[in-house]
Amino acid sequence: MWKIIIIICALGFDCQQLEQNPMQFYEDYNECMAVAVEKEKQLTELYRNYGYLVEDSKATCKNVKAS
């Protein structure tokens, strides 16, 4: 199972690691990455709309063991 992790670095602030809340898990890495990339776009746009200068961002998926 895979979960989304997005990292956003804004000028003058520490980088933030974000995860979905509530947490969602994906069976397939490619499906997870497709959702992660879309969420990264949405989040960086939101940060910019609030006046932050986004220096860098990254979308990735982390493999987690099923409970």
Side-chain angles (χ1 to χ4, degrees):
M1 294 179 56
W2 300 87
K3 71 176 185 176
I4 293 174
I5 296 178
I6 298 175
I7 300 169
I8 297 180
C9 302
L11 186 64
F13 297 92
D14 291 335
C15 294
Q16 300 291 313
Q17 179 175 312
L18 307 167
E19 297 179 359
Q20 286 181 303
N21 185 10
M23 183 65 65
Q24 293 182 357
F25 296 97
Y26 301 87
E27 295 294 327
D28 180 73
Y29 174 79
N30 292 328
E31 175 191 12
C32 182
M33 281 304 298
V35 175
V37 167
E38 185 59 34
K39 290 200 176 286
E40 176 192 17
K41 289 178 188 175
Q42 293 171 354
L43 285 166
T44 55
E45 182 178 325
L46 184 64
Y47 270 68
R48 288 183 179 114
N49 287 346
Y50 279 98
Y52 294 98
L53 178 59
V54 176
E55 290 185 293
D56 195 16
S57 66
K58 181 177 181 177
T60 191
C61 290
K62 180 179 179 182
N63 192 348
V64 293
K65 294 182 179 183
S67 319

